[in-house]
Each structure stands twice: as structure tokens, then as C-alpha cells.
């Protein structure tokens, strides 16, 4: 007796990913929510347009100086009440070490973009099935941050009147901060809440920690947002509570991805399932052999 072939459950799930009884609209929705292999040209275009839109909207938010300074005063008093208002001490302590604060200035200006793009490229190459969901987390996090910039304008500590914070970019004449020096007119000065340096760095750190295989790489992933937190405070660009705002935005981003894909990004398959094949019965090919002779009939 020959061996029978049994299709495993996993194979059947991949072959028929959508319920047969689902309507066309539901099937289209299911296709959109199913991870698929990203296309390079589309991702480059999407990221470029998205960041351009983010910068445009962020800088188009009215610079409400009076309200931003009132909110800054409230944040500072709230941190004193909570016993965490040590940003000024950290700012002065790190500023006394020239090489350290100069390095932090460049860290603040560059790694925010470099590390985020590097993680996106790594996801695209090594985790294509999880790429779209993880990207959605980043985009949703950034989108809700724009709402925060509009609803809650906030000046950074270095602009707080009556404070003794040091604008480290101005003092050390380093390049890079869009909110100091010659570039300050190109960026909204009062969009400190929430901190997207924390939102993006924590997105990078959690993505690396949950998906990387090498233990030391996972540890570096966790250290990155911690180092970023120290940098944003030492350079007087953010309060501790700005970082809390960034964490809340990231939580929103993960919630959106969880609701859309039905799972957190790291729980999705590393490689997207292949598109279902459309099976049909082929029409028989015409026979090339001559037709059989007709039977003889008796007269």
C-alpha cells in the first residue's frame, strides 16, 4: 500500500488564509492586515514623504510662546513636587566635562536619525514579515506626537526664563541642534512635549531587544534609550516628563499595531507567508492521436 500524503495544518492555513464565506470587503481588509514582503521603492518613498510631512506639520504648529512658557513653569513645579527636578544639576555637571558634553551634542543631533534608519533597514532585510507592523508602531507614535505639539506647547529647559540652564550647543558652538544657533528659525522652539528622541530611541531599543539574537546586541538595544534619556536632559533640551510623554506615545503606537495586525510585531512570522495560489482545473489539451475507426455496420 502506498503512503498517503497529508497536508499539515500550517500548510492549509497558508494556502487558504481567508475564510471562504467572507465577503469581498472583508477579504480586502484581511489582505491589508496580513504581513507581506515590503517593496524597497515604496518604503523609501513612504519614509521620505512621511518625514517631510512630520517636519512640515511640526514646524507649522503655532509657536505659542506665552503658553509654552507657562507650561514649562508648571512642568518644573510639578517635578519639584515629585522630587525629580534634577535636570539643572545634570546639565551643569555634564557641561563641566567639555569632551563629554560636546559628544552628547553630536549624539543628540545625529543618532536620532541614524539609528532609527539603521533599524528600519535591518528589519527590511532580516525580518520582512515584521517590518510593516513595526513601521506602523513608529508612524503611529510620531503621528500622535504631532497632536501633543499642537495641544501642549512646551519650551525646553534651556529657554525657561529665570532658570540657570545652559544651552550647550550655543556655549560650545557645536553643530546640529535644530533648536539652537543659526538653525533655530527652521524649527519650532516650543515642541518639547513629547520627546520623540525618547519615543524613537525606545522603539529602536525594544525592537532590537525582542528580535536580535546576539545577547550583547540585545543589551545595547536596551542601553540606547537610557543613554538618550541622559543626553536630552544633560543638553537641556527636555525635562524628565517630556520623556514620559514620549513613552506614552510609543505605547499608543504599539496599541495601534496590536489592534491592526492582531499581534505585537515581534509575535508575527519573521518571513511573510506566500500569496495564496489560485487553483483551477486546467482544460484538457486536444488529443494529437487520430480518432478511432468507426465500427462497421451490417447492411
Amino acid at each position: 500500500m502506498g503512503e498517503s500524503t497529508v497536508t499539515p495544518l500550517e500548510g492549509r492555513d497558508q494556502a487558504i488564509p481567508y475564510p471562504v464565506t467572507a465577503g469581498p470587503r472583508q477579504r480586502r481588509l484581511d489582505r491589508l492586515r496580513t504581513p507581506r514582503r515590503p517593496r524597497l521603492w515604496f518604503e523609501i518613498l513612504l519614509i521620505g514623504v512621511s518625514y517631510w510631512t512630520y517636519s512640515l506639520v511640526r514646524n507649522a504648529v503655532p509657536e505659542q510662546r506665552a503658553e509654552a512658557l507657562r507650561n514649562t513653569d508648571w512642568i518644573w513645579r510639578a517635578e519639584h513636587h515629585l522630587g525629580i527636578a534634577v535636570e539643572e544639576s545634570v546639565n551643569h555637571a555634564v557641561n563641566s566635562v567639555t569632551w563629554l558634553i560636546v559628544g552628547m551634542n553630536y549624539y543628540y543631533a545625529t543618532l536620532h536619525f541614524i539609528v532609527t534608519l539603521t533599524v528600519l533597514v535591518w528589519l527590511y532585510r532580516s525580518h520582512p514579515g515584521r517590518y510593516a507592523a513595526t513601521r506602523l508602531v513608529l508612524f503611529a507614535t510620531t503621528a500622535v506626537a504631532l497632536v501633543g505639539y499642537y495641544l501642549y506647547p512646551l519650551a525646553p529647559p534651556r529657554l525657561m526664563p529665570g532658570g540657570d540652564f545652559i544651552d550647550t550647543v550655543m556655549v560650545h558652538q557645536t553643530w546640529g541642534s535644530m533648536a539652537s544657533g543659526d538653525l533655530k528659525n527652521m524649527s519650532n522652539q516650543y515642541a518639547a512635549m513629547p520627546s520623540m528622541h525618547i519615543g524613537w530611541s525606545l522603539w529602536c531599543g525594544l525592537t532590537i531587544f525582542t528580535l536580535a539574537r546576539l545577547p550583547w546586541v540585545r543589551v545595547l538595544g536596551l542601553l540606547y534609550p537610557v543613554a538618550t534619556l541622559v543626553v536630552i536632559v544633560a543638553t537641556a533640551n527636555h525635562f524628565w516628563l517630556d520623556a514620559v510623554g514620549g513613552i506614552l506615545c510609543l505605547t499608543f503606537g504599539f496599541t495601534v499595531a496590536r489592534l491592526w495586525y492582531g499581534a505585537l510585531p515581534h509575535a508575527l512570522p519573521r518571513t511573510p507567508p506566500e500569496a495564496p495560489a489560485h487553483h483551477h482545473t486546467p482544460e484538457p489539451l486536444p488529443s494529437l492521436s487520430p480518432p478511432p475507426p468507426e465500427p462497421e455496420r451490417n447492411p
Side-chain angles (χ1 to χ4, degrees):
M1 181 180 296
E3 296 181 357
S4 60
T5 302
V6 179
T7 303
L9 180 60
E10 180 180 359
R12 291 203 302 268
D13 288 344
Q14 293 182 2
I16 309 176
Y18 316 119
V20 176
T21 57
R25 181 177 300 178
Q26 182 63 39
R27 286 197 297 269
R28 285 195 297 269
L29 180 62
D30 289 339
R31 282 195 293 269
L32 289 174
R33 298 173 66 179
T34 300
R36 63 186 65 190
R37 188 172 295 277
R39 293 166 291 181
L40 180 59
W41 68 268
F42 177 77
E43 295 304 324
I44 294 175
L45 180 63
L46 179 63
I47 292 172
V49 171
S50 298
Y51 183 73
W52 176 80
T53 304
Y54 163 75
S55 300
L56 185 67
V57 173
R58 181 180 185 272
N59 296 332
V61 173
E63 290 196 358
Q64 305 174 60
R65 183 176 185 275
E67 185 178 354
L69 293 177
R70 285 195 300 269
N71 290 336
T72 299
D73 183 65
W74 185 91
I75 288 284
W76 191 230
R77 285 187 285 109
E79 290 196 351
H80 275 284
H81 180 73
L82 295 172
I84 60 174
V86 296
E87 291 94 331
E88 191 174 288
S89 299
V90 174
N91 174 236
H92 281 259
V94 178
N95 186 71
S96 64
V97 185
T98 302
W99 66 266
L100 181 59
I101 193 60
V102 168
M104 285 189 175
N105 284 342
Y106 288 122
Y107 180 115
Y108 184 87
T110 59
L111 292 191
H112 180 52
F113 306 102
I114 294 174
V115 176
T116 304
L117 288 175
T118 300
V119 172
L120 281 171
V121 172
W122 171 62
L123 285 169
Y124 177 88
R125 292 176 59 87
S126 300
H127 298 268
R130 297 161 178 155
Y131 175 87
T134 314
R135 183 205 348 117
L136 177 59
V137 174
L138 182 65
F139 280 24
T141 298
T142 306
V144 76
L146 291 173
V147 179
Y149 299 147
Y150 184 85
L151 297 179
Y152 197 80
L154 183 72
R158 56 187 171 73
L159 294 182
M160 187 173 66
D164 193 26
F165 286 94
I166 300 170
D167 189 333
T168 59
V169 171
M170 292 292 292
V171 169
H172 298 279
Q173 296 296 305
T174 53
W175 168 88
S177 175
M178 292 294 290
S180 296
D182 296 334
L183 299 176
K184 64 183 178 182
N185 294 326
M186 299 173 59
S187 179
N188 187 347
Q189 294 284 285
Y190 306 112
M193 171 67 84
S195 169
M196 278 298 92
H197 273 75
I198 291 300
W200 287 14
S201 66
L202 190 57
W203 173 86
C204 292
L206 291 177
T207 300
I208 293 171
F209 179 76
T210 55
L211 299 181
R213 294 181 178 180
L214 297 177
W216 66 269
V217 175
R218 301 179 69 195
V219 171
L220 285 179
L222 292 182
L223 290 178
Y224 174 54
V226 175
T228 301
L229 178 61
V230 175
V231 167
I232 67 173
V233 171
T235 56
N237 281 292
H238 289 283
F239 295 102
W240 299 121
L241 291 182
D242 298 346
V244 175
I247 294 171
L248 292 177
C249 289
L250 183 64
T251 303
F252 173 81
F254 274 111
T255 302
V256 170
R258 174 67 175 81
L259 292 175
W260 181 254
Y261 286 99
L264 291 175
H266 71 274
L268 296 172
R270 179 171 183 169
T271 303
E274 298 295 333
H278 298 284
H279 298 286
H280 64 280
T281 303
E283 297 181 1
L285 295 175
S287 176
L288 298 180
S289 58
E294 296 183 1
E296 295 181 0
R297 297 179 180 181
N298 294 327

